[in-house]
């Protein structure tokens, strides 16, 4: 009986996923907003040229949004007097303003062209893809038709986004809970080929690491000493590029760096010494096409995670606030 119930549950879950997925398609806005992708491309190119870290920021924004309750732009909602939103949870406070700004600009432009048509969740998904391509990464298809969430709460974030001090077991299990396998996890973490991290995220690797070593022995000594100098001042949370060799280019250098002890975050460097992840790191280090193919597949999969369609969500008029607050600001959101 238990086996039969499990089978029914799995079938129902797969059927629901397939039904939701089938409502999304790459041509979703062809008739209702034919300039959709052209407008986004114009906005993201201008923003990336003005602020070269925008691509890395948008990628983090996209991933942090999707991993918490699905790709529904809940991370874009600002806190208000009724609820503290996801973006104000501690792990999201370092998300760069340029990433939020590029989505806001795209939304404004699209509202002028096609008011009330394009969701913030779709804008975030496509803008992220376009920005990755601009800095040298792969192009992949993005299915469209997501709706935006009705709410956002800080309490929903913890336990869904990996931290640098987590064990490989914890991170693998976290990704597995989102139906992402180890191969997909290693490919997605390759997003660290662009962007930067603050000293507070890796300082423990640099000072008084153990009784026998001042710094993490898995680090390249020259690299570790340079980072020690950068992060020696505790009063300033300085930042270092995740990929010290080609920080502004989306390529496979991140994996080559891991082989040389040049991984910035402890959780990243650990992938070269774990038997579950080492062969994948070595594959991506020697074959950029393999990395790009795996990354594209994983990003497409993430972009479909728990998406909202139909009455499950809405198309927000502005990305930082749900519509019902604009209509009736005195109505309290239930947490």
């Amino acid at each position: 009986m238990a086996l039969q119930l499990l089978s029914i549950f799995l079938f129902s879950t797969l059927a629901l996923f397939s039904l939701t997925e089938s409502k999304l398609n790459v041509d979703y806005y062809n008739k209702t907003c034919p300039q959709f992708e052209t407008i986004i491309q114009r906005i993201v190119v201008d923003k990336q040229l003005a602020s070269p870290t925008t691509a890395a920021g948008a990628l983090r924004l996209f991933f942090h949004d999707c991993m918490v309750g699905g790709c529904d732009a809940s991370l874009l909602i600002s806190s208000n007097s009724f609820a503290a939103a996801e973006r104000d949870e501690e792990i999201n406070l370092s998300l760069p303003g340029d990433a939020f700004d590029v989505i806001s600009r795209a939304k404004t432009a699209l509202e002028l062209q096609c008011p009330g048509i394009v969701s913030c969740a779709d804008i975030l998904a496509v803008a992220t893809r376009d920005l990755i391509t601009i800095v040298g990464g792969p192009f992949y298809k993005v299915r469209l038709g997501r709706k935006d969430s009705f709410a956002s709460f800080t309490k929903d974030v913890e336990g869904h986004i990996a931290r640098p001090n987590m064990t490989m077991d914890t991170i693998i299990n976290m990704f597995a809970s989102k139906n992402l396998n180890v191969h997909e996890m290693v490919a997605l973490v390759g997003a660290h080929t662009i962007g930067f991290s603050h000293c507070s995220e890796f300082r423990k690797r640099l000072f008084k690491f153990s009784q026998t070593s001042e710094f993490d022995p898995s680090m390249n000594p020259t690299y570790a000493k340079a980072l020690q100098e950068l992060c020696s001042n505790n009063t300033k949370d300085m930042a270092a590029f995740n990929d010290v060799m080609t920080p502004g280019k989306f390529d496979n250098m991140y994996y080559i760096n891991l082989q040389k002890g040049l991984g910035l975050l402890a959780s990243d460097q650990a992938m070269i010494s774990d038997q579950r992840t080492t062969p994948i790191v070595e594959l991506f280090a020697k074959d950029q096409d393999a990395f790009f193919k795996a990354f594209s597949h994983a990003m497409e999969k993430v972009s479909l995670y728990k998406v909202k369609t139909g009455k499950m969500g809405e198309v927000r008029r502005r990305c930082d606030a749900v519509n019902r607050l604009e209509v009736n600001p005195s109505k309290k959101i239930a947490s």
Side-chain angles (χ1 to χ4, degrees):
M1 181 65 178
L3 183 60
Q4 184 180 16
L5 289 174
L6 178 60
S7 298
I8 294 173
F9 171 76
L10 290 174
F11 177 79
S12 299
T13 302
L14 289 171
L16 179 60
F17 176 78
S18 298
L19 180 62
T20 300
E21 186 178 1
S22 68
K23 293 181 179 179
L24 304 184
N25 65 81
V26 295
D27 300 323
Y28 188 82
Y29 296 113
N30 277 11
K31 294 182 179 180
T32 56
C33 191
Q35 298 299 311
F36 165 66
E37 296 205 17
T38 301
I39 290 172
I40 289 187
Q41 287 171 3
R42 173 174 56 82
I43 298 293
V44 301
V45 167
D46 289 347
K47 183 65 180 180
Q48 181 65 22
L49 288 173
S51 303
T53 59
T54 300
L59 183 48
R60 282 187 65 204
L61 195 65
F62 169 79
F63 195 72
H64 281 220
D65 178 58
C66 290
M67 293 295 275
V68 180
C71 303
D72 57 7
S74 55
L75 182 54
L76 302 181
I77 296 176
S78 295
S79 295
N80 53 53
S81 58
F82 307 108
E86 290 175 28
R87 66 192 294 175
D88 286 328
E89 176 64 12
E90 178 266 332
I91 198 170
N92 288 328
L93 293 177
S94 63
L95 291 171
D98 283 329
F100 289 97
D101 181 62
V102 71
I103 305 305
S104 178
R105 291 187 184 197
K107 178 62 173 176
T108 299
L110 285 163
E111 282 299 300
L112 291 173
Q113 183 72 29
C114 320
I117 298 297
V118 182
S119 70
C120 300
D122 277 346
I123 294 172
L124 178 56
V126 173
T128 298
R129 189 272 313 280
D130 288 352
L131 284 161
I132 289 170
T133 306
I134 290 172
V135 294
F139 179 90
Y140 53 89
K141 293 181 179 180
V142 176
R143 299 183 190 181
L144 303 167
R146 297 167 189 76
K147 291 295 179 65
D148 301 323
S149 69
F150 290 121
S152 177
F153 304 106
T154 54
K155 64 180 177 60
D156 295 333
V157 177
E158 187 59 39
H160 294 282
I161 300 172
R163 296 177 181 269
N165 60 347
M166 286 181 172
T167 65
M168 193 53 58
D169 281 342
T170 300
I171 295 174
I172 287 174
N173 289 335
M174 181 179 292
F175 276 73
S177 71
K178 317 295 182 186
N179 196 32
L180 295 164
N181 61 37
V182 176
H183 196 90
E184 292 161 341
M185 181 207 78
V186 176
L188 288 168
V189 177
H192 288 169
T193 188
I194 55 175
F196 57 86
S197 297
H198 291 93
C199 289
S200 56
E201 298 178 87
F202 55 86
R203 181 177 276 114
K204 290 182 179 179
R205 303 185 71 199
L206 304 175
F207 304 102
K208 298 179 181 179
F209 183 77
S210 68
Q211 293 182 343
T212 59
S213 179
E214 174 65 12
F215 56 81
D216 185 342
S218 69
M219 300 182 77
N220 178 292
T222 303
Y223 183 51
K225 290 175 183 177
L227 290 173
Q228 283 179 331
E229 185 175 347
L230 174 71
C231 300
S232 59
N233 189 341
N234 283 325
T235 61
K236 294 183 179 180
D237 196 11
M238 303 296 286
F241 289 118
N242 294 322
D243 175 356
V244 68
M245 303 304 291
T246 57
K249 184 180 180 182
F250 196 101
D251 55 19
N252 68 331
M253 185 59 70
Y254 162 82
Y255 300 102
I256 298 172
N257 289 342
L258 296 183
Q259 295 177 315
K260 298 178 179 179
L262 298 175
L264 185 63
L265 303 177
S267 55
D268 288 359
Q269 191 60 50
M271 293 198 301
I272 197 64
S273 57
D274 189 291
Q275 62 180 1
R276 294 165 294 184
T277 54
T278 300
I280 309 169
V281 171
E282 292 175 344
L283 169 63
F284 293 161
K286 70 179 181 181
D287 189 343
Q288 180 167 281
D289 288 341
F291 165 47
F292 278 13
K293 182 178 180 180
F295 180 82
S296 297
H297 166 77
M299 284 295 284
E300 288 185 58
K301 189 171 178 179
V302 169
S303 73
L304 298 174
Y305 179 64
K306 288 189 175 181
V307 297
K308 295 170 177 60
T309 59
K311 295 182 179 180
M312 295 169 61
E314 65 181 0
V315 174
R316 291 188 211 130
R317 284 183 285 274
R318 47 184 289 179
C319 292
D320 62 352
V322 298
N323 293 340
R324 64 175 178 236
L325 277 183
E326 293 183 358
V327 174
N328 185 4
S330 65
K331 184 176 180 181
K332 185 174 181 179
I333 300 176
S335 61

